[in-house]
Amino acid sequence: MNRYLETSTYIDFDDPGVAGKAAELARSAGNEEELVRSCFLFVRDEIRHSWDFQLNPVTCKASHVLRHATGYCYAKSHLLAALLRANGIPTGLCYQRLSVNDGGPPYCLHGLNAVFLHNHGWYRIDARGNRPGICAEFHPPREALAFSIREREERDLPEIWPEPLPEVIGVLERYRDVALVFHNLPDIPLLG
């Protein structure tokens, strides 16, 4: 579990702002699930999704997401991982492969988290941000993700990564405008 508790370049909970916000969110929590819910709701509801709100700058590191209060799903998952890891909760990164236009190519990755809850084991949560037609919630052990898999080329990728995928980092660091990110969303080829 140590890999899912470490600080890193992109999950930088050693940043004073991230550490302070993690401590603030922990103060109101009476137990593990309340703490995870508090962090989840903060990132889902208070950090605006870059594309939904057409907000720059493009963020990647957890500390930058917190500072600018905006990020794509991937960046928001980095912040949620940082807040939870700062509070000693093992947290990883997960991805779905989804149709960009809800019906065939092109496809892209969607970023979310898996958190280890003592009463439930690994549990996926999606702090992407709600809007009409998208409603992600925290109701363990039942998952309530932003998107469901609806077609043959879409996938729930089973891995729980301790660090963001290079394809994701490459896009977020290469493009400085939310529209450029949207037109170059990361994807990975399906094997087999």
Side-chain angles (χ1 to χ4, degrees):
M1 285 292 179
N2 287 342
R3 296 180 310 156
Y4 301 100
L5 289 166
E6 294 173 348
T7 189
S8 69
T9 299
Y10 301 102
I11 304 172
D12 57 339
F13 64 83
D14 54 348
D15 173 84
V18 176
K21 178 53 78 172
E24 175 189 323
L25 291 166
R27 279 194 286 278
S28 62
N31 59 45
E32 178 186 68
E33 283 191 28
E34 287 179 13
L35 174 57
V36 174
R37 179 179 284 108
S38 178
C39 292
F40 166 77
L41 291 175
F42 170 75
V43 175
R44 186 194 72 182
D45 298 342
E46 303 300 325
I47 305 298
R48 293 163 295 183
H49 188 279
S50 297
W51 185 248
D52 288 355
F53 290 88
Q54 296 293 295
L55 290 174
N56 282 309
V58 174
T59 56
C60 187
K61 293 173 73 167
S63 57
H64 295 168
V65 177
L66 181 62
R67 185 175 309 122
H68 297 288
T70 188
Y72 268 91
C73 58
Y74 324 104
K76 290 181 73 162
S77 73
H78 303 165
L79 176 58
L80 183 54
L83 295 171
L84 292 171
R85 288 181 186 187
N87 282 299
I89 310 259
T91 308
L93 304 167
C94 299
Y95 300 93
Q96 293 176 310
R97 184 177 194 255
L98 303 170
S99 170
V100 173
N101 300 310
D102 295 327
Y107 294 91
C108 70
L109 293 176
H110 168 61
L112 55 147
N113 297 91
V115 58
F116 189 83
L117 301 172
H118 285 92
N119 291 335
H120 305 290
W122 285 108
Y123 173 71
R124 291 188 308 166
I125 51 178
D126 190 342
R128 178 222 179 272
N130 291 344
R131 63 179 165 100
I134 295 176
C135 184
E137 301 290 340
F138 180 81
H139 295 297
R142 183 179 62 82
E143 284 185 352
L145 304 178
F147 303 105
S148 58
I149 302 304
R150 295 185 303 226
E151 62 168 87
R152 192 173 64 84
E153 296 296 316
E154 293 184 329
R155 295 284 190 282
D156 275 320
L157 302 178
E159 296 86 1
I160 301 172
W161 300 93
E163 290 295 321
L165 290 179
E167 294 85 352
V168 168
I169 298 303
V171 168
L172 295 179
E173 290 192 336
R174 184 176 308 122
Y175 301 105
R176 296 289 168 223
D177 183 84
V178 293
L180 290 173
V181 172
F182 182 78
H183 294 295
N184 294 280
L185 291 169
D187 189 18
I188 56 171
L190 294 178
L191 302 176

